[in-house]
Amino acid sequence: MTAEPIILSSSRLGAEPADHEAQPEAHACACGHEDIEKIVLDSRTIPHAIRHATIFGALGAIQPGFALDLIASHNPLPLLGQLESTRPGQFLISYLENGPETWTIRLTRAN
């Protein structure tokens, strides 16, 4: 049994690719945005069932030296504990706002 190569195409399933179709190039964003060193994520708007997964996904996309400002309706100590146990030393944590109704924590990617 031999493995067949997979060919990616924008054509419909089962249609033969056109000769003019080129291989996809590396993503080059043309949306006009600028890379910023700080991103704000308001966790209060994320459904509870996917909140931690969403936050960890966002943190995984941050490059070293960049930060995510997390806004929460409570002190996110369980999340911070989970972050330290799964990614020890990867993020510097500083409180920008410390309740009683809103907490804002800056998570800066260290390495």
Side-chain angles (χ1 to χ4, degrees):
M1 177 179 220
T2 61
E4 295 292 323
I6 298 173
I7 299 171
L8 299 177
S9 170
S10 60
S11 301
R12 290 179 295 116
L13 184 63
E16 292 296 320
D19 290 336
H20 68 276
E21 284 190 278
Q23 292 294 327
E25 296 178 12
H27 174 65
C29 183
C31 68
H33 79 280
E34 295 179 23
D35 285 336
I36 55 173
E37 293 183 9
K38 180 184 67 161
I39 301 152
V40 177
L41 177 61
D42 189 342
S43 69
R44 300 172 298 181
T45 63
I46 302 168
H48 188 269
I50 61 168
R51 190 171 295 154
H52 281 204
T54 302
I55 295 167
F56 278 98
L59 290 173
I62 294 175
Q63 299 299 315
F66 287 75
L68 180 137
D69 286 357
L70 178 66
I71 301 171
S73 60
H74 64 282
N75 192 351
L77 292 175
L79 176 87
L80 297 177
Q82 186 179 2
L83 179 64
E84 187 56 33
S85 69
T86 59
R87 300 175 185 182
Q90 288 188 17
F91 290 91
L92 304 172
I93 300 166
S94 56
Y95 281 78
L96 304 178
E97 186 177 355
N98 200 6
E101 294 180 18
T102 303
W103 279 256
T104 303
I105 294 101
R106 179 164 290 160
L107 301 160
T108 305
R109 183 79 179 253
N111 55 14

